[in-house]
């Protein structure tokens, strides 16, 4: 049972709590000091220590002289987090309440640190709260505080799923179920009262969560139950000294890979329920107003700026950009109709029926007309020219024949 | 290699300092640019010349006109040189490279999809 407690302490993910734990354990472990200095391997080290440690040793140590020392240490520690401080204060305030409880004198050392955190002794909870327990256990591995909070919140959210059926004053069905479950236990009345109390706490918790009141989450967490981790993997202490063949010791520096692996064990990164921390409307509006579509003036200014300032390309990418702008490089993805976007809107009859351009400026009979009709026939079949280019061709011929009128008249060509 | 480039808009000649492989490549570049400019005129005048309908007097005048155009404007004078070495012969059109450069790049894995043939 104390093993579970200590595990709960370790996995609370508070550096200072872990610091307490270090001092609670007998100092004969050299690893404690290393764990105190090392940040990442802190909780894992302590977990392993908890596993190996004799439970009975905990009763021997007293925490009173340890606590002020540790407090000073905690304040000096550079890794203070505000939430951690708040938690520490809460935890420190709890012991006075806990000590008054006569039944818990034996567990003084750790329970003082934990406050009112209760240990799950029996399996009566398992039937009801299997999911929440597992989520809390998985959350227990997280290193970062917000992750811990988030996981507890997700745990609460899962509790809400279960508690959704509960009305404001505990559902009669649930009361009946609680009494039935308590009937299986030896101490029926006490078990039942405890059950109902826990259920009410859960409901209060979820309602507070729904309202968005997360401030007293510390109190809520302190009242929570901690479950036992079902599978233990790799029971080696993180900083155990291993020995080479020549007798020189070295520690296996795992770095952050262990932590990342632990984080990856999470089944789902995004919890199923929303946290309701942010209201959905506020984010979008602010962004849109600031980045209104750039006007033509803005683009022109940006263009001039780029021309004036940056002449030389700094790398291959900029060189390719410059070439693309100049036209030396094709634009990707390849567009066969670059430069001809307007042509798509031109109707086909303007391409094909070009005789109307022959009506004026050209004679109606004679070789010139014959020639121009051939020209128009050729142009109408040409899909590669734009309409403008075709018109330019025809107009050029018109001008040419006007210039060469005297030559044509000498050759007895009909110019009517 | 500094050369005079034709500005298209104002017909101004500006000295552009750039590097072509050799002067022959530069001249080839100039011919290509000029051929692009005079392309429409040449094809129209040639259309007048190469038909049997118009009177021959007109066609003779057209001959003289096309001969009066700058010599570098005709596309026939363009030579497809290797882009990297300016080699005039042994140039594959698709890659615009001479056979030696092509082989060099292909052996060094720089040509996508090119394998040594074996069958």
């Amino acid at each position: 049972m104390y093993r579970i407690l200590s595990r709960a302490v370790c996995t609370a993910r508070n550096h200072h709590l872990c610091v307490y734990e270090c001092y609670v354990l007998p100092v004969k472990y050299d690893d404690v000091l290393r764990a105190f200095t090392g940040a990442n391997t802190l909780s894992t080290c302590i977990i392993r220590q908890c596993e190996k440690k004799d439970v009975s040793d905990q009763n021997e140590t007293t925490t009173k002289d340890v606590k002020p020392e540790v407090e000073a240490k905690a304040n000096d520690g550079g890794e203070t987090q505000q939430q951690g401080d708040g938690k520490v204060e809460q935890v420190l305030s709890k012991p006075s309440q806990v000590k008054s409880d006569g039944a818990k004198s034996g567990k003084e050392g750790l329970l003082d640190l934990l406050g009112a955190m209760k240990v799950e002794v029996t399996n009566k909870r398992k039937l009801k709260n299997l999911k929440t327990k597992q989520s809390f256990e998985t959350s227990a591995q997280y290193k970062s505080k917000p992750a811990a909070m988030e996981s507890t919140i997700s745990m609460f959210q899962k509790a809400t799923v279960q508690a959704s059926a509960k009305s404001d004053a505990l559902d009669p069905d649930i009361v009946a179920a609680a009494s039935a479950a308590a009937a299986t236990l030896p101490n029926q009345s006490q078990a039942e009262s405890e059950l109902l109390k826990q259920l009410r706490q859960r409901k209060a918790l979820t309602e507070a969560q729904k309202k968005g009141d997360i401030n007293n989450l510390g109190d809520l967490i302190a009242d929570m139950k901690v479950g036992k981790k079902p599978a233990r993997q790799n029971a080696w202490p993180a900083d155990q000294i291993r020995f080479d063949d020549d007798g020189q010791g070295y520690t296996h520096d795992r770095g952050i890979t262990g932590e990342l692996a632990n984080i990856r064990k999470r089944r789902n990164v995004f919890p199923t329920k929303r946290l309701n921390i942010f209201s959905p409307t506020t984010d979008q509006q602010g962004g849109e107003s600031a980045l209104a579509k750039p006007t033509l003036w803005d683009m022109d200014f940006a263009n001039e700026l780029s021309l004036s300032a940056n002449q030389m390309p700094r790398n291959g990418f900029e060189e390719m950009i410059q070439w693309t702008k100049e036209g030396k490089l094709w634009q990707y993805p390849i567009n066969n109709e670059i430069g001809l976007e307007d042509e798509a809107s031109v109707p086909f009859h303007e391409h094909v029926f070009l005789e109307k351009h022959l009506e004026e400026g050209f004679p109606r009979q004679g070789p010139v007309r014959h020639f121009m009709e051939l020209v128009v026939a050729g142009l109408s079949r040409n899909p590669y020219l734009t309409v403008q280019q075709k018109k330019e061709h025809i107009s050029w011929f018109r001008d040419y024949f006007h210039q060469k009128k005297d030559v044509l008249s000498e050759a007895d060509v009909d110019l009517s | 290699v500094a050369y005079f480039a034709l500005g298209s808009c104002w017909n101004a000649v500006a000295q552009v300092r750039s590097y072509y492989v050799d002067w022959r490549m530069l001249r080839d570049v100039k011919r290509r640019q000029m051929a692009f400019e005079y392309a429409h005129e040449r094809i129209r005048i040639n259309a007048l010349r190469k038909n049997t309908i118009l009177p021959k007097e007109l066609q003779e005048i057209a001959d003289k006109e096309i001969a009066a155009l700058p010599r570098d404007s005709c596309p026939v004078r363009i030579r497809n040189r290797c882009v990297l070495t300016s080699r005039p012969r042994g140039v594959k059109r698709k890659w615009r490279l001479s056979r030696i450069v092509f082989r060099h790049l292909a052996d060094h894995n720089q040509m996508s999809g090119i394998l040594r043939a074996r069958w």
Side-chain angles (χ1 to χ4, degrees):
Chain A
M1 195 166 77
Y2 292 112
R3 185 187 286 182
I4 298 162
L5 257 181
S6 56
R7 173 176 293 284
V9 171
C10 310
T11 57
R13 200 52 52 123
N14 188 340
H15 290 286
H16 307 290
L17 283 179
C18 294
V19 162
Y20 293 158
E21 176 63 26
C22 290
Y23 277 84
V24 166
L25 299 170
V27 193
K28 64 187 175 189
Y29 284 88
D30 296 332
D31 301 295
V32 169
L33 297 175
R34 207 171 291 121
F36 181 64
T37 53
N40 286 333
T41 58
L42 192 58
S43 16
T44 53
C45 151
I46 291 164
I47 286 171
R48 272 136 210 165
Q49 290 172 15
C50 292
E51 291 165 7
K52 291 192 171 180
K53 188 182 160 15
D54 267 343
V55 169
S56 58
D57 289 342
Q58 291 176 5
N59 289 331
E60 296 166 4
T61 59
T62 56
T63 55
K64 283 186 191 173
D65 35 341
V66 171
K67 247 189 277 175
E69 197 182 332
V70 177
E71 256 188 73
K73 282 271 181 185
N75 292 332
D76 292 343
E79 303 158 7
T80 52
Q81 300 175 14
Q82 287 184 358
Q83 275 183 339
D85 280 334
K87 252 195 177 175
V88 163
E89 286 157 20
Q90 288 174 6
V91 163
L92 288 175
S93 65
K94 296 278 180 175
S96 57
Q97 304 169 11
V98 171
K99 273 184 196 165
S100 62
D101 195 349
K104 295 179 185 169
S105 57
K107 316 174 195 175
E108 236 181 45
L110 288 170
L111 272 182
D112 290 344
L113 308 173
L114 289 174
M117 203 182 262
K118 296 193 182 84
V119 180
E120 185 176 283
V121 182
T122 64
N123 62 349
K124 65 190 173 188
R125 276 268 165 261
K126 282 188 185 172
L127 301 169
K128 287 182 188 280
N129 302 326
L130 193 61
K131 278 186 195 173
T132 57
K133 190 177 60 173
Q134 281 175 357
S135 67
F136 188 77
E137 284 157 10
T138 53
S139 79
Q141 301 173 24
Y142 304 144
K143 300 291 170 181
S144 63
K145 183 138 300 257
M149 299 299 280
E150 178 195 348
S151 59
T152 51
I153 289 166
S154 69
M155 197 209 96
F156 298 148
Q157 288 168 351
K158 283 183 181 167
T160 62
V161 170
Q162 293 175 350
S164 60
K166 295 176 195 163
S167 61
D168 210 77
L170 282 179
D171 220 13
D173 293 339
I174 288 177
V175 174
S179 60
T184 63
L185 293 160
N187 199 351
Q188 184 178 357
S189 59
Q190 189 190 354
E192 193 175 339
S193 65
E194 264 193 54
L195 260 178
L196 293 174
K197 192 168 104 183
Q198 284 299 315
L199 284 171
R200 274 189 224 101
Q201 277 182 10
R202 282 280 144 84
K203 200 175 10 161
L205 216 153
T206 57
E207 274 167 16
Q209 175 60 28
K210 278 178 198 169
K211 287 174 201 165
D213 188 12
I214 312 174
N215 287 335
N216 45 359
L217 202 54
D219 295 333
L220 300 171
I221 290 170
D223 291 337
M224 270 169 22
K225 293 208 169 206
V226 181
K228 186 171 183 178
K229 193 169 159 190
R232 271 188 256 139
Q233 302 146 16
N234 196 12
W236 283 99
D239 281 338
Q240 192 186 40
I241 301 173
R242 296 187 222 164
F243 289 94
D244 258 346
D245 294 336
D246 58 351
Q248 298 295 325
Y250 68 95
T251 58
H252 178 50
D253 188 15
R254 287 161 78 238
I256 59 166
T257 51
E259 324 312 320
L260 293 175
N262 284 333
I263 288 171
R264 270 189 218 104
K265 279 183 212 161
R266 276 171 96 171
R267 290 192 201 115
N268 50 343
V269 179
F270 296 105
T272 51
K273 294 263 174 154
R274 285 180 151 266
L275 293 175
N276 293 321
I277 295 172
F278 303 108
S279 57
T281 53
T282 51
D283 296 330
Q284 298 149 13
Q285 292 166 4
E288 281 177 9
S289 63
L291 289 173
K293 279 187 182 176
T295 66
L296 202 63
W297 294 113
D298 296 336
M299 282 156 59
D300 187 47
F301 174 67
N303 205 14
E304 277 186 42
L305 204 64
S306 64
L307 283 175
S308 62
N310 256 348
Q311 299 290 348
M312 292 299 297
R314 290 174 295 177
N315 49 38
F317 292 114
E318 294 196 3
E319 194 184 35
M320 282 202 280
I321 291 169
Q322 204 171 1
W323 284 348
T324 308
K325 284 181 188 166
E326 288 173 19
K328 289 182 186 174
L329 209 58
W330 283 344
Q331 294 183 20
Y332 292 95
I334 296 290
N335 182 14
N336 280 328
E337 287 161 17
I338 271 188
L340 297 175
E341 291 90 359
D342 297 336
E343 281 304 302
S345 58
V346 173
F348 77 100
H349 58 83
E350 290 187 29
H351 279 274
V352 177
F353 301 116
L354 296 163
E355 284 110 1
K356 62 179 183 174
H357 299 105
L358 292 185
E359 285 165 12
E360 60 169 69
F362 293 103
R364 299 188 187 218
Q365 306 284 340
V368 174
R369 181 78 182 192
H370 190 178
F371 173 77
M372 284 316 297
E373 280 173 3
L374 290 173
V375 167
V376 162
L379 285 176
S380 67
R381 294 182 201 201
N382 191 338
Y384 304 108
L385 297 178
T386 64
V387 175
Q388 193 59 35
Q389 285 170 333
K390 293 179 186 179
K391 285 184 196 169
E392 280 172 15
H393 276 300
I394 295 171
S395 59
W396 185 88
F397 278 115
R398 196 182 290 129
D399 296 336
Y400 186 81
F401 286 125
H402 275 298
Q403 284 174 17
K404 302 291 188 276
K405 257 185 188 173
D406 49 346
V407 177
L408 288 169
S409 59
E410 275 182 33
D412 297 327
V413 169
D414 195 4
L415 293 172
S416 62
Chain B
V1 170
Y3 65 95
F4 290 89
L6 293 170
S8 57
C9 308
W10 305 286
N11 284 333
V13 176
Q15 195 180 42
V16 178
R17 294 182 185 278
S18 167
Y19 290 96
Y20 283 109
V21 178
D22 53 7
W23 290 92
R24 278 170 290 175
M25 186 188 254
L26 196 158
R27 294 202 301 261
D28 194 65
V29 167
K30 283 199 275 185
R31 282 182 203 122
R32 284 169 191 267
Q33 287 170 350
M34 204 173 284
F36 181 81
E37 278 181 44
Y38 287 88
H40 289 305
E41 282 187 37
R42 287 192 88 97
I43 198 171
R44 288 159 190 163
I45 295 171
N46 267 334
L48 289 168
R49 285 170 66 223
K50 307 283 181 180
N51 68 69
T52 53
I53 303 161
L54 293 175
K56 287 179 187 173
E57 294 84 4
L58 200 64
Q59 288 174 357
E60 283 163 18
I61 293 169
D63 289 341
K64 287 172 195 167
E65 274 183 13
I66 202 168
L69 288 176
R71 196 164 278 199
D72 274 351
S73 63
C74 62
V76 187
R77 286 169 70 92
I78 292 170
R79 182 78 194 184
N80 290 327
R81 287 177 166 272
C82 170
V83 166
L84 293 181
T85 54
S86 179
R87 195 163 194 272
R89 295 193 173 94
V91 180
K92 291 306 281 180
R93 207 165 222 218
K94 190 173 171 187
W95 295 277
R96 302 178 187 177
L97 292 174
S98 83
R99 55 179 178 82
I100 303 158
V101 177
F102 177 85
R103 234 175 83 92
H104 180 271
L105 293 175
D107 286 343
H108 288 77
N109 231 0
Q110 306 300 313
M111 305 290 278
S112 173
I114 301 294
L115 303 175
R116 281 192 158 263
R118 58 169 177 176
W119 68 93

PDB file of all heavy atoms in Angstrom, chain A residues 59-72:
ATOM      1  N   ASN A  59       8.404   4.237   7.598  1.00  0.00           N
ATOM      2  CA  ASN A  59       7.855   4.606   8.907  1.00  0.00           C
ATOM      3  C   ASN A  59       8.909   5.179   9.807  1.00  0.00           C
ATOM      4  O   ASN A  59       8.616   5.947  10.712  1.00  0.00           O
ATOM      5  CB  ASN A  59       7.238   3.372   9.567  1.00  0.00           C
ATOM      6  CG  ASN A  59       5.963   2.970   8.845  1.00  0.00           C
ATOM      7  OD1 ASN A  59       5.296   3.811   8.289  1.00  0.00           O
ATOM      8  ND2 ASN A  59       5.652   1.683   8.847  1.00  0.00           N
ATOM      9  N   GLU A  60      10.148   4.822   9.559  1.00  0.00           N
ATOM     10  CA  GLU A  60      11.186   5.257  10.483  1.00  0.00           C
ATOM     11  C   GLU A  60      11.483   6.734  10.333  1.00  0.00           C
ATOM     12  O   GLU A  60      11.756   7.417  11.300  1.00  0.00           O
ATOM     13  CB  GLU A  60      12.465   4.467  10.232  1.00  0.00           C
ATOM     14  CG  GLU A  60      12.283   2.985  10.524  1.00  0.00           C
ATOM     15  CD  GLU A  60      13.433   2.178   9.963  1.00  0.00           C
ATOM     16  OE1 GLU A  60      14.370   2.802   9.425  1.00  0.00           O
ATOM     17  OE2 GLU A  60      13.379   0.953  10.051  1.00  0.00           O
ATOM     18  N   THR A  61      11.450   7.198   9.121  1.00  0.00           N
ATOM     19  CA  THR A  61      11.889   8.584   8.922  1.00  0.00           C
ATOM     20  C   THR A  61      10.816   9.549   9.356  1.00  0.00           C
ATOM     21  O   THR A  61       9.628   9.282   9.269  1.00  0.00           O
ATOM     22  CB  THR A  61      12.165   8.831   7.449  1.00  0.00           C
ATOM     23  OG1 THR A  61      10.966   8.584   6.717  1.00  0.00           O
ATOM     24  CG2 THR A  61      13.251   7.892   6.978  1.00  0.00           C
ATOM     25  N   THR A  62      11.260  10.627   9.806  1.00  0.00           N
ATOM     26  CA  THR A  62      10.330  11.710  10.142  1.00  0.00           C
ATOM     27  C   THR A  62      10.570  12.848   9.170  1.00  0.00           C
ATOM     28  O   THR A  62      11.684  13.098   8.735  1.00  0.00           O
ATOM     29  CB  THR A  62      10.542  12.207  11.572  1.00  0.00           C
ATOM     30  OG1 THR A  62      11.919  12.593  11.678  1.00  0.00           O
ATOM     31  CG2 THR A  62      10.252  11.116  12.562  1.00  0.00           C
ATOM     32  N   THR A  63       9.528  13.523   8.909  1.00  0.00           N
ATOM     33  CA  THR A  63       9.642  14.547   7.874  1.00  0.00           C
ATOM     34  C   THR A  63       9.732  15.950   8.421  1.00  0.00           C
ATOM     35  O   THR A  63       9.971  16.898   7.703  1.00  0.00           O
ATOM     36  CB  THR A  63       8.413  14.485   6.968  1.00  0.00           C
ATOM     37  OG1 THR A  63       7.249  14.600   7.791  1.00  0.00           O
ATOM     38  CG2 THR A  63       8.382  13.160   6.237  1.00  0.00           C
ATOM     39  N   LYS A  64       9.542  16.096   9.686  1.00  0.00           N
ATOM     40  CA  LYS A  64       9.430  17.467  10.188  1.00  0.00           C
ATOM     41  C   LYS A  64      10.723  18.215   9.991  1.00  0.00           C
ATOM     42  O   LYS A  64      10.755  19.325   9.484  1.00  0.00           O
ATOM     43  CB  LYS A  64       9.105  17.426  11.681  1.00  0.00           C
ATOM     44  CG  LYS A  64       7.666  17.095  11.940  1.00  0.00           C
ATOM     45  CD  LYS A  64       7.342  17.212  13.422  1.00  0.00           C
ATOM     46  CE  LYS A  64       5.968  16.615  13.656  1.00  0.00           C
ATOM     47  NZ  LYS A  64       5.665  16.546  15.083  1.00  0.00           N
ATOM     48  N   ASP A  65      11.841  17.567  10.393  1.00  0.00           N
ATOM     49  CA  ASP A  65      13.104  18.261  10.200  1.00  0.00           C
ATOM     50  C   ASP A  65      13.491  18.320   8.740  1.00  0.00           C
ATOM     51  O   ASP A  65      14.227  19.188   8.321  1.00  0.00           O
ATOM     52  CB  ASP A  65      14.212  17.565  11.014  1.00  0.00           C
ATOM     53  CG  ASP A  65      13.974  16.075  11.037  1.00  0.00           C
ATOM     54  OD1 ASP A  65      12.830  15.675  10.772  1.00  0.00           O
ATOM     55  OD2 ASP A  65      14.895  15.324  11.316  1.00  0.00           O
ATOM     56  N   VAL A  66      12.942  17.404   7.997  1.00  0.00           N
ATOM     57  CA  VAL A  66      13.315  17.374   6.571  1.00  0.00           C
ATOM     58  C   VAL A  66      12.616  18.477   5.802  1.00  0.00           C
ATOM     59  O   VAL A  66      13.170  19.087   4.916  1.00  0.00           O
ATOM     60  CB  VAL A  66      12.949  15.999   5.974  1.00  0.00           C
ATOM     61  CG1 VAL A  66      13.123  16.019   4.473  1.00  0.00           C
ATOM     62  CG2 VAL A  66      13.836  14.923   6.585  1.00  0.00           C
ATOM     63  N   LYS A  67      11.405  18.742   6.227  1.00  0.00           N
ATOM     64  CA  LYS A  67      10.578  19.629   5.406  1.00  0.00           C
ATOM     65  C   LYS A  67      11.121  21.036   5.234  1.00  0.00           C
ATOM     66  O   LYS A  67      11.205  21.536   4.125  1.00  0.00           O
ATOM     67  CB  LYS A  67       9.171  19.691   5.981  1.00  0.00           C
ATOM     68  CG  LYS A  67       8.143  19.041   5.061  1.00  0.00           C
ATOM     69  CD  LYS A  67       6.762  19.291   5.535  1.00  0.00           C
ATOM     70  CE  LYS A  67       6.409  18.288   6.609  1.00  0.00           C
ATOM     71  NZ  LYS A  67       5.100  18.541   7.225  1.00  0.00           N
ATOM     72  N   PRO A  68      11.490  21.705   6.327  1.00  0.00           N
ATOM     73  CA  PRO A  68      11.965  23.074   6.123  1.00  0.00           C
ATOM     74  C   PRO A  68      13.208  23.097   5.263  1.00  0.00           C
ATOM     75  O   PRO A  68      13.391  23.981   4.440  1.00  0.00           O
ATOM     76  CB  PRO A  68      12.243  23.578   7.534  1.00  0.00           C
ATOM     77  CG  PRO A  68      12.171  22.378   8.420  1.00  0.00           C
ATOM     78  CD  PRO A  68      11.377  21.348   7.719  1.00  0.00           C
ATOM     79  N   GLU A  69      14.054  22.070   5.432  1.00  0.00           N
ATOM     80  CA  GLU A  69      15.243  21.982   4.597  1.00  0.00           C
ATOM     81  C   GLU A  69      14.868  21.870   3.129  1.00  0.00           C
ATOM     82  O   GLU A  69      15.409  22.540   2.274  1.00  0.00           O
ATOM     83  CB  GLU A  69      16.020  20.750   5.048  1.00  0.00           C
ATOM     84  CG  GLU A  69      17.469  20.717   4.570  1.00  0.00           C
ATOM     85  CD  GLU A  69      18.098  19.425   5.039  1.00  0.00           C
ATOM     86  OE1 GLU A  69      17.663  18.888   6.076  1.00  0.00           O
ATOM     87  OE2 GLU A  69      18.999  18.934   4.341  1.00  0.00           O
ATOM     88  N   VAL A  70      13.909  21.009   2.952  1.00  0.00           N
ATOM     89  CA  VAL A  70      13.495  20.785   1.563  1.00  0.00           C
ATOM     90  C   VAL A  70      12.807  22.007   1.008  1.00  0.00           C
ATOM     91  O   VAL A  70      12.928  22.332  -0.155  1.00  0.00           O
ATOM     92  CB  VAL A  70      12.571  19.563   1.489  1.00  0.00           C
ATOM     93  CG1 VAL A  70      12.074  19.374   0.072  1.00  0.00           C
ATOM     94  CG2 VAL A  70      13.329  18.328   1.944  1.00  0.00           C
ATOM     95  N   GLU A  71      12.100  22.679   1.882  1.00  0.00           N
ATOM     96  CA  GLU A  71      11.422  23.897   1.406  1.00  0.00           C
ATOM     97  C   GLU A  71      12.418  24.879   0.872  1.00  0.00           C
ATOM     98  O   GLU A  71      12.255  25.462  -0.189  1.00  0.00           O
ATOM     99  CB  GLU A  71      10.688  24.543   2.574  1.00  0.00           C
ATOM    100  CG  GLU A  71       9.200  24.321   2.554  1.00  0.00           C
ATOM    101  CD  GLU A  71       8.521  25.142   3.634  1.00  0.00           C
ATOM    102  OE1 GLU A  71       8.440  26.357   3.455  1.00  0.00           O
ATOM    103  OE2 GLU A  71       8.138  24.545   4.639  1.00  0.00           O
ATOM    104  N   ALA A  72      13.501  25.035   1.676  1.00  0.00           N
ATOM    105  CA  ALA A  72      14.532  25.989   1.230  1.00  0.00           C
ATOM    106  C   ALA A  72      15.089  25.561  -0.110  1.00  0.00           C
ATOM    107  O   ALA A  72      15.278  26.350  -1.016  1.00  0.00           O
ATOM    108  CB  ALA A  72      15.609  26.076   2.295  1.00  0.00           C
TER     109      ALA A  72
END
